[in-house]
């Protein structure tokens, strides 16, 4: 790991200076190229605020953000936005096209690509999210989960270095979530893309290389998902870990450390 692709240094932010409550207080962390980091924490801990600061939609009162070597400022904001694909929780206000494929193509139009190349990028992105059969559908008629998948395709079509997902999987059913997590893992391996996902979903946390825990606007913990599940009591761990703890409680001889689903299955089948 060389220089971080995302550097957040001492970021402090208030929405309302008069009340003087810090929504984020001296938040610092680094994220490295090719890493998948999940930012977790209770509602109201400042995760979405942080996401908006990272892409310059909000400006911190103090601190510094560096993305891929560029210090975030009015001068660099557009260059930085080109590096980051963003998907927020509510996809409804992210649609512009009259068909799904127009919508995904929209962001590409400014790049003046030859038609075939553009078409190929749209195809690839729609396949990745499992929405290629819906290319001619009207986006406004899709289900919430389908809309979210199209929003993710639109972000990915632009080949971002960084993908920032703020609870972007919330409306997906468990099967599509799992499919998408696998697709993103493959994409990360293939293209060295950096993923920052803000999430409450246990499987999404487990898919990450590292978790950063925010509480009351402060970073209170950071580490491997299995370490965090052992130490942060308020984060309910994934099913396999809950099962492991229960078995131990019942006096069964399970290993006294975090187990992934695969490890648990292997142990049970012994
Ligand atoms: N536009 C806003 N104006 C004022 N306060 C806000 C605004 N958006 C969020 N907040 C407050 O900032 C805090 C952090 O919110 P948010 O960043 O959305 O947290 P999270 O995404 O972790 O749930 C909350 O107390 C919330 O009420
Ligand atoms: Mg939020």
């Amino acid at each position: 790991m060389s220089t971080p692709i995302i550097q957040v240094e001492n970021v402090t932010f208030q929405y309302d200076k008069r009340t003087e409550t810090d929504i984020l207080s001296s938040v610092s962390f680094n994220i490295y190229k090719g890493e998948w980091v999940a930012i977790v924490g209770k509602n109201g801990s400042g995760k979405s605020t942080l996401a908006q600061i990272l892409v310059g939609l909000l400006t911190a009162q103090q601190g510094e953000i560096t993305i891929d070597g560029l210090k975030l400022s009015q001068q660099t904001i557009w260059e930085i936005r080109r590096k980051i694909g963003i998907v927020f929780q509510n996809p409804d206000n992210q649609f512009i096209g009259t068909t799904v494929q127009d919508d995904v193509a929209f962001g590409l139009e400014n790049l003046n690509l030859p038609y075939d190349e553009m078409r190929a990028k749209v195809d690839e992105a729609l396949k990745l999210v499992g929405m290629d059969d819906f290319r001619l559908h009207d986006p406004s008629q899709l289900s919430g989960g389908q809309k979210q998948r199209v929003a993710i395709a639109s972000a990915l079509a632009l080949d971002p270095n960084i993908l920032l997902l703020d609870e972007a999987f919330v409306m997906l059913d468990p099967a599509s979530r799992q499919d998408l997590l696998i697709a993103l893992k493959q994409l990360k391996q293939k293209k060295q893309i950096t993923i920052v996902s803000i999430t409450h979903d246990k499987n999404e946390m487990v898919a990450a290389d590292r978790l950063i825990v925010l509480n009351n606007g402060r970073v209170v913990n950071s580490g491997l998902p299995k370490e965090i599940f052992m130490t942060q009591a308020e984060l309910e761990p994934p099913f396999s870990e809950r099962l492991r703890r229960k078995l131990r409680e019942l006096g069964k001889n399970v290993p006294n450390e975090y187990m992934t689903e695969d490890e648990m299955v292997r142990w049970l089948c012994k």
Side-chain angles (χ1 to χ4, degrees):
M1 290 201 224
S2 43
T3 32
I5 192 164
I6 300 175
Q7 250 175 311
V8 175
E9 288 170 279
N10 280 312
V11 163
T12 296
F13 177 84
Q14 302 113 9
Y15 280 103
D16 185 352
K17 277 207 177 114
R18 287 163 303 178
T19 59
E20 288 181 5
T21 35
D22 286 351
I23 301 294
L24 297 172
S25 324
S26 304
V27 168
S28 299
F29 58 82
N30 289 332
I31 294 176
Y32 294 87
K33 187 172 157 60
E35 234 192 335
W36 183 333
V37 171
I39 299 180
V40 307
K42 291 198 253 314
N43 282 330
S45 53
K47 305 180 299 295
S48 295
T49 304
L50 177 63
Q52 291 174 76
I53 292 173
L54 284 178
V55 291
L57 291 170
L58 292 172
T59 306
Q61 277 84 10
Q62 284 170 48
E64 209 169 273
I65 286 167
T66 311
I67 309 276
D68 206 5
L70 292 172
K71 205 157 144 198
L72 179 62
S73 71
Q74 285 310 314
Q75 282 74 51
T76 57
I77 187 166
W78 293 106
E79 204 177 330
I80 285 177
R81 290 225 185 121
R82 273 201 297 275
K83 297 172 185 284
I84 309 184
I86 324 164
V87 187
F88 288 112
Q89 186 167 349
N90 181 352
D92 269 338
N93 33 35
Q94 302 182 29
F95 291 112
I96 326 125
T98 51
T99 63
V100 164
Q101 67 180 12
D102 280 357
D103 216 87
V104 177
F106 182 80
L108 290 165
E109 269 159 16
N110 299 324
L111 303 179
N112 290 318
L113 300 173
Y115 176 82
D116 289 345
E117 206 174 308
M118 182 152 123
R119 169 94 205 204
K121 279 182 188 290
V122 172
D123 280 359
E124 194 192 354
L126 283 173
K127 276 209 188 83
L128 214 118
V129 301
M131 286 296 289
D132 40 332
D133 290 343
F134 291 83
R135 57 173 58 254
L136 297 174
H137 286 229
D138 175 352
S140 67
Q141 301 301 313
L142 300 175
S143 75
Q146 290 171 329
K147 282 180 188 169
Q148 265 175 323
R149 285 193 275 164
V150 174
I152 294 167
S154 302
L156 289 175
L158 291 162
D159 260 334
N161 300 354
I162 300 167
L163 184 63
L164 175 58
L165 305 167
D166 187 357
E167 315 241 10
F169 291 2
V170 161
M171 300 183 71
L172 298 181
D173 57 89
S176 336
R177 262 185 213 207
Q178 213 49 39
D179 288 350
L180 214 51
L181 286 179
I182 292 167
L184 286 181
K185 263 189 196 162
Q186 288 166 349
L187 189 74
K188 178 174 113 87
Q189 266 170 2
K190 199 167 112 195
K191 298 196 173 173
Q192 277 283 300
I193 182 173
T194 306
I195 301 175
V196 181
S197 69
I198 293 170
T199 183
H200 285 107
D201 183 79
K202 304 304 159 328
N203 296 323
E204 221 178 306
M205 294 182 200
V206 174
D209 302 311
R210 185 157 61 94
L211 303 188
I212 293 176
V213 186
L214 274 190
N215 192 16
N216 262 324
R218 292 176 187 275
V219 174
V220 293
N221 209 342
S222 158
L224 296 174
K226 63 178 183 182
E227 292 166 359
I228 302 286
F229 289 130
M230 296 293 275
T231 54
Q232 296 288 131
E234 77 279 8
L235 285 180
E236 188 186 80
F239 174 71
S240 57
E241 173 63 9
R242 278 183 283 143
L243 178 62
R244 186 191 68 79
R245 291 181 190 180
K246 192 77 206 167
L247 288 170
R248 262 192 90 76
E249 250 176 67
L250 296 171
K252 305 286 179 214
N253 190 23
V254 274
N256 190 20
E257 55 189 40
Y258 178 88
M259 286 165 90
T260 64
E261 208 170 286
D262 289 346
E263 287 162 349
M264 177 54 84
V265 168
R266 253 177 275 137
W267 185 82
L268 286 170
C269 294
K270 257 200 326 217

